[in-house]
Amino acid sequence: MHEYRKLIVWRKAIDLVSDIYKLTAEFPKKEQFSLTSQINRAAVSIPSNIAEGAGRNSNKEFAQFLSIAHASTYELETQLIISKNLGYLAQEDLKKALNQLYEVQKMNYALQRKLRQ
């Protein structure tokens, strides 16, 4: 069992969620139960799957949950790009969010590789 709270990737994913919630708070109210909700769920899924995987009994199981978290990063990336295209996000906000997201992706992938060795 791994201590997920000590994982830098988990901490960075938590920071990402907080920033995403702040961004989506500015979205139009008509999106509250659609795109805003989907974005927030995808963001929350990232650290949640990291934590759940850390609680599993083997590195193989942990790596599987990291893979799920990784997939959620791509889902979030897609939704953020859509939000920018709809005019809900400024280019600068999108760039900042994607930079955070890419950092989490790289760290997650590196941890997966380490666990599978």
Side-chain angles (χ1 to χ4, degrees):
M1 199 155 60
H2 299 79
E3 294 184 46
Y4 68 90
R5 288 179 201 93
K6 292 183 178 180
L7 294 171
I8 296 170
V9 67
W10 179 80
R11 286 190 240 150
K12 292 207 177 266
I14 290 289
D15 292 342
L16 175 64
V17 172
S18 299
D19 291 342
I20 293 298
Y21 266 76
K22 290 173 189 170
L23 285 176
T24 60
E26 303 298 319
F27 282 20
K29 292 295 177 200
K30 69 179 183 176
E31 292 293 346
Q32 183 176 5
F33 299 108
S34 53
L35 190 56
T36 300
S37 178
Q38 287 181 325
I39 289 171
N40 291 340
R41 282 194 318 264
V44 167
S45 175
I46 299 164
S48 298
N49 276 293
I50 294 169
E52 185 173 353
R56 296 297 171 145
N57 294 323
S58 71
N59 284 350
K60 183 178 178 182
E61 287 178 294
F62 188 14
Q64 178 60 34
F65 277 86
L66 290 173
S67 178
I68 294 166
H70 196 72
S72 292
T73 67
Y74 285 96
E75 179 182 1
L76 179 58
E77 178 180 19
T78 299
Q79 294 162 350
L80 290 172
I81 292 167
I82 291 168
S83 298
K84 195 276 183 190
N85 290 349
L86 292 173
Y88 303 156
L89 277 180
Q91 179 64 38
E92 187 173 312
D93 290 333
L94 175 64
K95 183 178 179 180
K96 181 182 175 200
L98 291 181
N99 285 338
Q100 285 180 275
L101 188 60
Y102 297 152
E103 183 178 19
V104 169
Q105 285 176 338
K106 289 175 188 174
M107 295 176 81
N108 181 328
Y109 186 71
L111 182 54
Q112 285 181 60
R113 288 184 56 184
K114 182 179 177 184
L115 291 171
R116 289 188 172 130
Q117 289 179 346

